[in-house]
Amino acid sequence: MSNGGRTFFGHPWALATLFGTEMWERFSWYGLRAILATFMVASPANQGLGMTEETAQAVVGVYGALIYLVALPGGWIADRILGPRRSVFWGGFVIMCGHISMAIPVQGPIFVWLGLLLIIAGTGLLKPNISVMVGKLYPDDADARRDAGFSLFYLGINLGAFFAPIVVGWLAAGDRWHLGFSAAAVGMALGLAQYAWGGRRSLRGVGERPGMPLSPAELRRFGLMTCAAVAVAAVALGAWAATGTFTLSRFTLVVTIVILAVPVVYFGYIMLGSHDLTEDERSRMKAYIWLFIAAAIFWMIYDLAPSKLLFFAQNNTDLSLFGVPIQAATTQSFNPLFIMIFVPVFAALWVKLGNRVSTPQKFAFALVMVGLSFVIMALAASLAQSGRVSVWWLVLVYLVQVFGELSLSPVGLSVTTKLAPQAFKGQMLGVWFIAVSVGDAVGGQTGRLGNVMSEPAYYLLLAALAIVAGLALFMFTRKLRALMAEHHVPAMPPIR
């Protein structure tokens, strides 16, 4: 599809619209993420919320977990009610409203919680459906061009992720938190404007209608059920608050338990229900459950970047690169920078190695890498007990972690699609994001370990968990490959 012969690096011009929209949406997401935890622990005198680092880590973990969990209902709403195109627009609008809410410079957390809730809901609508629209730009038989288009699209993700912490962190310096939140709101507004203006012609006909729209009766039933669920949740929270036992820390723990229950129930439903699964399908699902657990462990550590590692940057490092002062938030730009540098390297590596390296081995390598990154963190934390250390320690940590991410994230969706039973092909695409959700939620709760162990011991414990899990995967690779009946999976850039 093109607009009067106009192309975007040889691709349909509509890709430029989606590229820019996603870049600005990721700018807003990663910009907020880069300052959220430090804003929460800043004292009210410094315009913050005055939380403990443990509570802030738990909140950021649950926030990230819900962002990925709501991709499932967001995809369903697009398929049955709005269609992908309108879902992306209204998702972006709700995200923008969320950032505006957080940017309101008033004392108290009410607009912060409202803003986070809106961002979660809006991202659930936008994030899964904008990727669907990229796929719809190409004919069904144009796999190579579609893969190349997605590679460009993912470049937009990482460009937004790279610049956001630098810009937002600089604006938020000196306790100007709401100015930083405003920058995130402006970023989403720019993305929304580009989507509405550019999509008027280039996206005509793409994702305009839901694939399987609800009937009027089904739509009314859905509205009633949604209202009832919101009312029940509000009454339950009100009753809990009335008992005097409600705390933010306990609330994040309850949400984490609910998130953990989701994959348990879902996999139980698949494996124990009567869905006419073949023996091969059951075998592949058994293998996938182990890969799912491995991925959740990986994300549990990897996604501590915007909380635990951000606190370390702020409290324990000399924030200077090549003699130039930087903000703690700027350290969040190291990851997307390394991803952009090493994606082509790893893509070429996996093609060269071919079938000699299996998916379980890639997952195992990723776990070992993320574990080694926390061994480095343990050493840095030990040295920091005597004074601030160089920020180059964090540069090394993020470099090692990216080696792990590029071994696990690119094949996650591919292996999910490959191992899914025929009856669950569509649904299983969202399961990969549940692994991220579980990892983020549990990672947020690990901050509680700081009450019973030292900082170096904390990093070593999580490092040991990841490395042991990675070595176990290496040991059982042959058995997992037999369960999977594995063939080569092409490397693709990570979807984040």
Side-chain angles (χ1 to χ4, degrees):
M1 172 180 178
S2 64
N3 184 21
R6 203 176 180 194
T7 63
F8 180 65
F9 294 100
H11 293 268
W13 184 252
L15 182 62
T17 298
L18 300 177
F19 175 98
T21 304
E22 180 71 346
M23 182 184 70
W24 284 114
E25 186 275 330
R26 289 292 89 182
F27 178 94
S28 70
W29 156 248
Y30 282 100
L32 170 64
R33 200 175 89 138
I35 63 172
L36 182 60
T38 45
F39 161 71
M40 287 179 167
V41 301
S43 70
N46 297 118
Q47 314 305 315
L49 297 185
M51 293 183 190
T52 64
E53 288 190 2
E54 172 193 314
T55 301
Q57 180 176 334
V59 171
V60 171
V62 164
Y63 167 63
L66 291 175
I67 285 286
Y68 288 101
L69 192 64
V70 295
L72 287 174
W76 184 88
I77 288 172
D79 285 341
R80 306 304 303 274
I81 301 174
L82 294 176
R85 184 173 173 182
R86 283 191 294 167
S87 294
V88 170
F89 177 83
W90 288 112
F93 179 78
V94 172
I95 291 170
M96 181 184 67
C97 291
H99 287 297
I100 291 172
S101 177
M102 297 193 67
I104 298 174
V106 298
Q107 289 289 337
I110 182 65
F111 286 108
V112 173
W113 302 133
L114 174 61
L116 293 179
L117 185 62
L118 289 172
I119 293 167
I120 290 169
T123 305
L125 280 175
L126 185 148
K127 186 62 179 168
N129 294 307
I130 196 167
S131 296
V132 168
M133 291 185 68
V134 173
K136 288 180 178 294
L137 299 180
Y138 302 90
D140 291 341
D141 59 352
D143 290 344
R145 290 194 70 224
R146 185 184 298 106
D147 287 352
F150 269 108
S151 295
L152 273 174
F153 181 70
Y154 299 145
L155 175 62
I157 291 175
N158 287 295
L159 282 173
F162 172 72
F163 286 109
I166 299 172
V167 175
V168 174
W170 175 72
L171 290 172
D175 303 327
R176 301 188 302 264
W177 306 108
H178 297 288
L179 188 57
F181 297 145
S182 297
V186 170
M188 189 64 254
L190 288 172
L192 197 60
Q194 177 174 358
Y195 183 75
W197 178 71
R200 191 175 304 159
R201 293 181 61 191
S202 65
L203 291 174
R204 186 175 299 160
V206 179
E208 288 185 351
R209 299 182 181 278
M212 301 187 337
L214 297 177
S215 67
E218 290 173 327
L219 188 57
R220 285 193 297 272
R221 193 179 309 121
F222 169 75
L224 289 173
M225 291 177 62
T226 301
C227 291
V230 171
V232 168
V235 169
L237 284 174
W240 187 5
T243 66
T245 60
F246 178 90
T247 66
L248 197 54
S249 179
R250 288 171 180 164
F251 175 73
T252 62
L253 181 59
V254 169
V255 175
T256 298
I257 292 170
V258 171
I259 290 171
L260 281 170
V262 171
V264 173
V265 171
Y266 191 80
F267 286 128
Y269 170 71
I270 292 176
M271 298 298 289
L272 303 178
S274 57
H275 308 294
D276 297 323
L277 267 62
T278 66
E279 283 302 311
D280 283 345
E281 287 177 330
R282 290 187 181 279
S283 173
R284 288 194 291 267
M285 280 306 300
K286 289 176 184 177
Y288 183 76
I289 289 172
W290 289 110
L291 295 177
F292 180 95
I293 294 170
I297 293 172
F298 176 86
W299 297 119
M300 177 187 72
I301 296 175
Y302 188 88
D303 276 349
L304 289 176
S307 54
K308 193 70 176 178
L309 299 193
L310 182 61
F311 293 142
F312 185 84
Q314 179 175 260
N315 302 330
N316 301 108
T317 67
D318 176 17
L319 289 168
S320 174
L321 280 174
F322 302 108
V324 178
I326 63 171
Q327 301 298 322
T330 304
T331 61
Q332 300 294 289
S333 292
F334 299 159
N335 170 277
L337 175 63
F338 287 137
I339 287 176
M340 287 188 287
I341 291 171
F342 287 103
V343 156
V345 176
F346 272 74
L349 177 65
W350 297 139
V351 171
K352 185 177 179 63
L353 292 174
N355 292 332
R356 287 175 289 174
V357 179
S358 66
T359 297
Q361 287 172 323
K362 292 175 183 177
F363 274 51
F365 177 76
L367 284 169
V368 171
M369 286 295 100
V370 82
L372 288 178
S373 76
F374 265 35
V375 172
I376 297 169
M377 276 303 305
L379 180 56
S382 180
L383 294 173
Q385 292 175 343
S386 303
R388 288 183 177 266
V389 299
S390 170
V391 77
W392 286 100
W393 282 99
L394 284 176
V395 174
L396 179 59
V397 167
Y398 284 119
L399 176 63
V400 174
Q401 286 191 351
V402 163
F403 290 162
E405 181 183 7
L406 294 177
S407 304
L408 178 142
S409 185
V411 298
L413 280 175
S414 294
V415 76
T416 299
T417 303
K418 175 191 165 187
L419 299 182
Q422 192 61 40
F424 295 92
K425 282 288 184 186
Q427 299 175 45
M428 284 288 291
L429 287 173
V431 172
W432 173 250
F433 293 109
I434 296 179
V436 184
S437 183
V438 168
D440 282 9
V442 175
Q445 296 302 318
T446 62
R448 299 172 187 270
L449 296 173
N451 296 325
V452 295
M453 60 178 56
S454 68
E455 191 108 329
Y458 167 87
Y459 290 118
L460 281 177
L461 176 63
L462 294 186
L465 174 63
I467 292 172
V468 168
L471 294 177
L473 265 186
F474 274 125
M475 290 175 59
F476 291 100
T477 290
R478 182 175 297 179
K479 185 171 183 178
L480 285 173
R481 291 192 75 171
L483 289 172
M484 294 166 62
E486 187 182 49
H487 301 290
H488 175 61
V489 177
M492 282 286 293
I495 301 176
R496 295 283 282 165

